Amino acid sequence: AERRAAEALEGARVEAREAERLAAEAAAREAELREEIEAVRASAAEERRRAVDAAERELGEARAELRQLRDEIRAARKRERERRRTAAAEASPAERERDRRLGAASTRAARAERALRSLDEPVETRAPLTEGDPVEAPELGIRGTIARLEDDEAEVLGPGGTRIRVPVAHLRPDPRGRARVEREEPAVRVQAAARSDVSDELDVRGLRPQEAREAVRSFVDDAALAGLRQVRVVHGRGTGALRSAVRGELASHHLVSGQESDSADGATLVHLG
């Protein structure tokens, strides 16, 4: 009986030592997993910081370019007034290039601002993305499926078969499942936010036709840059000369998509875009 009791005691001791060993291993594994999670979080935070720095640099450059372009446009308008160009003069290639650069710089600034707003969010730890994953980048207006991964960039297959290269840091899994590539909406949509300091109406009554044309041209430039979609020009009825000058200028402006009579033909509604 004593022998059996001794054997039972020894067996209990062995089991206790084994339990202690397993508990120590479990504690070590838990500590290791915690270290791995903290490393992933630190890496994600650093990646986000780099993205914020890059977006801020991009925004600063875009704003500087916008200021320069607006100065160029004002100087060009002043030279035009001094030369007394005729009302039927067409925009020069240099002016068309300035308009194109102005639109591109405005789009660039809006995209950088949207990216900065989206980056000001808590860092999330996510599983690595792989080819075939449905993804989205809301701040860039992108949704699609990863077609190829290469270093820190992904090629995203979007609607209509469009392919867009996007930094992986800007992508996240699309919770709505695999993107439909036949959707009609564009893969990327950028819209500048409207500014509150730009009026949506211009009154040119009392001006000479050429002065009205110049005022309308600058007004449309500023309204488009501010993100306004519709504005109104008040010219009155009178003899019709002022109305014709205003509408002629609007018809030739690159940023005007349409116009229509308003207030019994004493004003014109202008559609931008």
Side-chain angles (χ1 to χ4, degrees):
E2 291 180 0
R3 184 171 59 83
R4 287 196 298 272
E7 291 175 350
L9 179 59
E10 181 61 24
R13 289 174 176 168
V14 170
E15 290 178 359
R17 287 194 297 271
E18 181 64 15
E20 290 175 357
R21 184 184 65 80
L22 293 175
E25 290 181 356
R29 179 56 179 161
E30 181 182 2
E32 181 180 345
L33 289 174
R34 285 179 180 172
E35 290 179 359
E36 291 179 0
I37 291 173
E38 289 303 320
V40 170
R41 286 176 177 167
S43 175
E46 176 63 20
E47 184 175 338
R48 173 176 170 273
R49 185 192 62 76
R50 288 197 299 268
V52 169
D53 290 344
E56 287 178 341
R57 286 195 301 271
E58 177 80 2
L59 180 58
E61 293 172 1
R63 285 174 172 168
E65 185 174 358
L66 281 172
R67 287 193 296 269
Q68 178 183 350
L69 286 169
R70 294 192 66 175
D71 290 343
E72 289 182 13
I73 288 174
R74 290 192 179 97
R77 303 307 187 215
K78 182 177 180 180
R79 288 194 299 271
E80 183 179 4
R81 288 194 297 270
E82 293 170 351
R83 290 193 297 267
R84 301 292 184 181
R85 290 182 177 176
T86 63
E90 296 182 357
S92 68
E95 288 175 323
R96 289 196 295 271
E97 176 62 16
R98 277 195 299 270
D99 288 339
R100 185 194 66 76
R101 290 171 59 199
L102 180 65
S106 178
T107 297
R108 182 181 176 193
R111 184 171 58 246
E113 287 175 344
R114 287 165 61 93
L116 276 174
R117 286 196 299 270
S118 68
L119 289 168
D120 190 19
E121 298 174 353
V123 176
E124 300 178 16
T125 302
R126 307 188 186 102
L129 297 172
T130 60
E131 293 181 5
D133 284 351
V135 293
E136 62 178 357
E139 71 276 9
L140 302 178
I142 295 174
R143 179 172 294 111
T145 304
I146 293 179
R148 186 174 61 178
L149 284 170
E150 184 175 340
D151 297 330
D152 58 351
E153 283 193 335
E155 186 177 82
V156 178
L157 179 63
T162 58
R163 291 177 179 266
I164 306 170
R165 296 188 67 84
V166 184
V168 174
H170 289 180
L171 296 175
R172 70 183 187 191
D174 185 356
R176 283 167 285 191
R178 187 171 299 277
R180 298 190 300 274
V181 298
E182 298 301 327
R183 289 178 59 186
E184 296 182 357
E185 66 179 20
V188 178
R189 294 177 298 170
V190 178
Q191 180 176 353
R195 283 169 33 198
S196 59
D197 60 339
V198 176
S199 174
D200 61 354
E201 183 172 298
L202 172 69
D203 190 342
V204 297
R205 289 175 294 185
L207 299 180
R208 293 192 295 271
Q210 183 59 27
E211 292 174 336
R213 291 180 70 97
E214 294 165 357
V216 166
R217 192 176 306 130
S218 296
F219 172 63
V220 170
D221 287 342
D222 290 341
L225 182 61
L228 298 180
R229 306 299 296 174
Q230 179 175 288
V231 294
R232 185 170 181 263
V233 179
V234 180
H235 43 66
R237 289 186 291 274
T239 64
L242 192 59
R243 179 178 62 241
S244 297
V246 167
R247 292 180 177 173
E249 179 61 31
L250 292 172
S252 65
H253 202 293
H254 305 295
L255 301 177
V256 174
S257 60
Q259 57 177 295
E260 59 186 273
S261 174
D262 188 40
S263 300
D265 220 24
T268 301
L269 288 178
V270 185
H271 303 284
L272 306 178

